[in-house]
C-alpha cells in the first residue's frame, strides 16, 4: 500500500496519523494511506516556502523552463500508470482519467514555455530624459487549495504557473485524492526543483486549509471548491492584503433552440452533463429547451441516458463511474428526491449494484421542471441534469441567465444570429456554441463571474495576472 507523505522543505515527512484513500469503485480497496498535517506542520511548510522564495524568484527562466518541461515529459510518459491511480482514487473512467493526466503534462509543458515568454514594457516618460520600465515580479509564497474532481489537472494548472513565474508554493490537495497530488509533487522534485520551492501538506480543509490561508508567510491563495468555502477564504485573506483567486462552481445552462441539430444537441448534453460522473463545475446541469424541439430532444436524450454504462472506473466499457464518496452520493439522491417532491419527473438516478461494492448512481434526467425549482438553482455536482421548457430564444436566454453562477453557458443552434447574440449576452465567463459546456483548453483563460469566480483568470497567458505583481521603474541615466 502506498504511503502519501508531506513534503516540507527538502524532506518527505509523516504527520499526526493517517487517513485511508478509498477506491469509490470498490470500497473494500484502500489505494493508499495519507499522512495528516496539523497547524505546526503547515507553519513549517510555509516557512520553508518563505525561506526558498528569494532564490527561486531570482532563478533564471531557463532553469524554470527545464524543470517544468522535464516534469511535463515525465507525466506524459507515465500517463497510463497515473491514469490508473486517478481512476482508482477518484472514480473517473479510465479513458477520461488517462486524458486528464495527459492534460496535466501538457499544462506543465505550456508553462515551461511561459517561463521563457515573460515580457514587460519600455516606455518614454512625459518628462525629458527619463525612461519607464514596467516589469512583472513573483507575488511570493502561494498557497494552493485544490478539489477532488480533477486530482492532477487542477493541481498542475495552479502549480505550473506559480513556479513558472518564480513563486514558491504550499499545495493542499483534497483529502479524498492525495495520491495524484503526491505523485505530481514527486515528479517536479525529481525534475530538479530546489528544496522548499514546492511543499505539500495533506489533511482536512478546516484544519490544514485554514492554517494555510491564514499563514502570515503566504502572500496569495488560489482555491477551487465550494462557494461557501471560497467566500470564507476571501474573508480570511482580504484583511491582511493577501491576493485571492477563487473558482467556486456553476449551474451551467445548455440552451437548445428550435433550429438545433438534435444529434449535436444530444451529444453535447450527454458529454456535458454525464461525463466525469457529472462532477465538473462546468457540467451542463440545466438543459433549457425551446418548445418546438423539446419533446423530440427529451425523447432522444432519455434513450441515450438509459444506455450509458455505469460501472467500475477501470472497466473499459464504463461511461459513468462511481460518485466520489458516500457523502456526495447522499447529496445527489437528496436533490433527486427534492426534484420529485417539487413536481419533476425523474428518469434514472437509482443506486445500482455492480460486482464490486461502490458508490454507483445511474445517470438522472429530470423533466417537467421550472426555473424556480431547487434542482435548477443549486449545484448538485453529480450525474444529474434537469430540463426546462421555454417558449423561444428570448425566454431561453433569460432562463440561462437566471442564476447566481456565471461560469459556462452553451447554445446549440444553426443560426449565426442567435449564436452571436447568445455569446454576447450570456452572463458567463465561457460560452460554447454547438459544443458541451464542459471541456476547455489549457492555453486559454478559465473562469467566470458572480458566484462562480473571483479574481484573475486561471490558465493560459492570463495566469500571470494572479501569479505576478507589476513594478514600474523610472530611470534617469544622468
Amino acid at each position: 500500500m502506498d504511503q502519501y507523505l508531506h513534503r516540507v522543505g527538502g524532506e518527505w515527512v509523516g504527520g499526526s496519523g493517517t487517513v485511508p484513500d478509498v477506491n469509490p469503485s470498490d470500497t473494500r480497496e484502500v489505494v493508499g494511506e495519507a499522512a495528516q498535517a496539523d497547524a505546526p506542520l503547515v507553519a513549517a511548510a510555509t516557512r520553508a516556502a518563505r525561506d526558498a522564495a528569494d532564490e527561486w524568484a531570482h532563478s533564471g527562466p531557463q532553469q524554470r523552463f527545464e524543470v517544468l518541461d522535464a516534469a511535463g515529459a515525465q507525466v506524459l510518459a507515465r500517463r497510463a500508470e497515473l491514469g490508473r491511480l486517478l481512476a482508482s482514487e477518484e472514480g473517473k473512467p479510465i479513458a477520461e482519467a488517462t486524458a486528464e493526466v495527459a492534460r496535466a503534462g501538457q499544462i506543465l509543458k505550456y508553462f515551461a514555455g511561459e517561463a521563457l515568454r515573460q515580457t514587460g514594457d519600455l516606455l518614454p516618460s512625459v518628462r525629458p530624459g527619463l525612461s519607464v520600465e514596467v516589469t512583472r515580479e513573483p507575488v511570493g509564497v502561494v498557497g494552493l487549495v485544490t478539489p477532488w474532481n480533477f486530482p492532477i489537472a487542477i493541481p498542475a494548472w495552479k502549480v505550473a504557473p506559480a513556479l513558472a513565474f518564480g513563486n514558491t508554493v504550499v499545495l493542499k490537495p483534497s483529502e479524498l485524492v492525495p495520491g495524484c497530488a503526491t505523485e505530481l509533487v514527486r515528479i517536479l522534485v525529481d525534475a530538479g526543483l530546489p528544496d522548499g520551492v514546492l511543499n505539500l501538506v495533506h489533511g482536512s480543509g478546516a484544519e490544514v486549509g485554514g492554517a494555510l490561508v491564514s499563514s502570515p508567510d503566504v502572500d496569495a491563495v488560489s482555491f477551487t471548491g465550494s462557494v461557501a468555502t471560497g467566500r470564507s477564504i476571501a474573508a480570511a485573506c482580504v484583511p491582511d492584503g493577501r491576493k485571492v483567486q477563487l473558482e467556486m462552481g456553476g449551474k451551467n445552462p445548455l440552451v437548445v433552440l428550435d433550429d438545433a441539430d438534435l444529434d449535436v444537441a444530444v451529444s453535447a448534453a450527454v458529454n456535458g452533463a454525464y461525463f466525469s460522473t457529472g462532477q465538473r463545475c462546468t457540467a451542463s446541469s440545466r438543459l433549457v429547451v425551446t418548445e418546438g424541439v423539446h419533446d423530440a430532444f427529451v425523447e432522444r436524450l432519455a434513450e441515450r441516458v438509459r444506455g450509458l454504462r455505469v460501472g467500475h472506473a477501470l472497466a473499459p466499457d464504463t461511461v459513468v463511474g462511481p460518485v466520489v464518496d458516500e457523502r456526495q452520493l447522499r447529496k445527489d439522491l437528496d436533490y433527486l428526491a427534492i426534484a420529485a417532491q417539487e413536481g419533476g419527473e425523474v428518469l434514472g438516478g437509482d443506486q445500482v449494484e455492480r460486482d464490486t461494492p461502490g458508490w454507483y448512481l445511474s445517470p438522472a434526467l429530470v423533466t417537467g421542471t421550472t426555473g424556480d425549482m431547487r434542482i435548477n438553482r443549486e449545484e448538485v455536482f453529480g450525474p444529474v441534469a434537469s430540463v426546462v421548457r421555454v417558449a423561444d430564444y428570448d425566454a431561453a436566454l433569460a432562463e440561462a441567465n437566471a442564476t447566481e453562477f456565471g461560469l459556462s453557458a452553451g447554445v446549440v443552434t444553426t443560426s449565426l444570429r442567435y449564436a452571436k447574440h447568445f455569446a454576447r449576452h450570456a452572463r458567463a465567463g465561457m460560452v460554447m456554441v454547438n459544443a458541451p459546456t464542459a471541456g476547455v483548453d489549457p492555453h486559454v483563460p478559465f473562469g467566470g463571474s458572480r458566484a462562480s469566480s473571483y479574481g484573475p483568470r486561471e490558465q493560459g497567458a492570463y495566469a500571470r495576472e494572479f501569479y505576478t505583481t507589476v513594478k514600474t521603474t523610472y530611470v534617469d541615466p544622468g
Side-chain angles (χ1 to χ4, degrees):
M1 183 185 303
D2 290 330
Q3 298 292 318
Y4 304 130
L5 302 177
H6 314 290
R7 178 77 180 181
V8 178
E11 303 293 332
W12 292 99
V13 298
S16 53
T18 61
V19 168
D21 183 12
V22 176
N23 185 344
S25 294
D26 184 348
T27 54
R28 301 168 301 182
E29 179 186 352
V30 176
V31 179
E33 295 278 351
Q36 298 297 287
D38 53 18
L41 193 140
V42 173
T46 60
R47 283 195 302 272
R50 174 61 64 200
D51 291 343
D54 187 65
E55 182 178 352
W56 185 246
H58 292 92
S59 63
Q62 186 66 30
Q63 180 182 2
R64 300 178 206 165
F65 166 84
E66 289 175 357
V67 167
L68 291 168
D69 186 61
Q74 185 64 13
V75 168
L76 291 171
R78 294 175 56 189
R79 72 180 74 181
E81 168 203 345
L82 294 173
R84 188 177 181 87
L85 170 61
L86 195 159
S88 296
E89 73 171 355
E90 195 269 350
K92 191 168 294 185
I94 186 63
E96 288 190 76
T98 305
E100 181 184 331
V101 173
R103 180 178 177 182
Q106 293 159 0
I107 289 166
L108 290 165
K109 282 183 164 289
Y110 173 85
F111 282 106
E114 284 295 276
L116 298 174
R117 287 190 289 266
Q118 296 182 52
T119 61
D121 297 299
L122 180 62
L123 306 169
S125 171
V126 297
R127 289 172 286 175
L130 286 174
S131 64
V132 183
E133 296 178 358
V134 181
T135 55
R136 289 187 175 272
E137 296 183 346
V139 71
V141 176
V142 182
L144 305 178
V145 182
T146 59
W148 50 261
N149 60 326
F150 284 86
I152 196 166
I154 291 181
W157 87 42
K158 292 181 188 290
V159 168
L163 298 178
F165 299 127
N167 301 281
T168 56
V169 172
V170 181
L171 169 64
K172 194 213 87 69
S174 167
E175 55 269 38
L176 294 179
V177 287
C180 286
T182 302
E183 289 305 310
L184 177 64
V185 170
R186 192 182 305 279
I187 287 169
L188 281 158
V189 169
D190 290 346
L193 276 182
D195 293 347
V197 172
L198 176 58
N199 305 274
L200 172 69
V201 289
H202 297 292
S204 72
E207 181 176 7
V208 179
L212 177 59
V213 303
S214 62
S215 169
D217 287 314
V218 172
D219 300 297
V221 174
S222 180
F223 164 81
T224 299
S226 71
V227 173
T229 302
R231 288 173 174 168
S232 69
I233 287 174
C237 290
V238 169
D240 293 322
R242 294 187 192 89
K243 206 170 184 180
V244 184
Q245 180 185 64
L246 307 174
E247 290 298 336
M248 299 175 289
K251 193 67 184 175
N252 310 293
L254 178 69
V255 170
V256 181
L257 299 180
D258 282 356
D259 65 355
D261 181 322
L262 288 188
D263 289 335
V264 172
V266 170
S267 293
V270 169
N271 181 306
Y274 302 113
F275 284 16
S276 297
T277 318
Q279 297 174 150
R280 298 186 283 193
C281 57
T282 52
S284 306
S285 53
R286 290 187 297 144
L287 308 176
V288 182
V289 187
T290 51
E291 53 189 14
V293 293
H294 175 274
D295 292 350
F297 171 79
V298 168
E299 182 180 357
R300 290 197 196 187
L301 179 59
E303 183 179 359
R304 285 283 301 275
V305 169
R306 292 187 192 98
L308 297 177
R309 168 68 180 167
V310 179
H312 196 295
L314 297 180
D317 61 344
T318 291
V319 177
V320 178
V323 174
V324 70
D325 67 356
E326 184 178 17
R327 179 180 178 184
Q328 186 63 46
L329 176 63
R330 297 301 167 199
K331 178 183 176 184
D332 295 348
L333 291 170
D334 286 347
Y335 269 109
L336 291 171
I338 292 167
Q341 291 166 8
E342 293 185 339
E345 183 177 344
V346 180
L347 167 69
D350 302 309
Q351 280 191 261
V352 294
E353 294 185 0
R354 291 294 179 257
D355 293 338
T356 55
W359 311 122
Y360 297 110
L361 180 69
S362 65
L365 179 65
V366 186
T367 58
T369 76
T370 58
D372 58 350
M373 290 182 178
R374 287 181 62 187
I375 197 71
N376 290 316
R377 302 270 66 84
E378 301 171 17
E379 187 175 36
V380 179
F381 221 66
V384 178
S386 52
V387 181
V388 181
R389 183 199 294 258
V390 294
D392 53 23
Y393 171 74
D394 290 337
L397 177 63
E399 182 60 38
N401 287 335
T403 174
E404 67 172 328
F405 296 101
L407 183 56
S408 183
V411 63
V412 184
T413 178
T414 55
S415 166
L416 181 59
R417 178 169 69 91
Y418 285 140
K420 295 290 287 184
H421 189 274
F422 186 84
R424 175 66 182 84
H425 292 89
R427 296 188 65 193
M430 299 178 289
V431 175
M432 316 297 188
V433 178
N434 296 326
T437 59
V440 294
D441 296 340
H443 66 295
V444 299
F446 177 96
S449 62
R450 296 179 283 169
S452 288
S453 304
Y454 179 84
R457 291 287 192 259
E458 295 197 281
Q459 300 200 84
Y462 284 77
R464 64 168 46 91
E465 297 299 327
F466 177 71
Y467 291 102
T468 65
T469 60
V470 175
K471 176 177 283 185
T472 303
T473 303
Y474 288 87
V475 177
D476 183 350

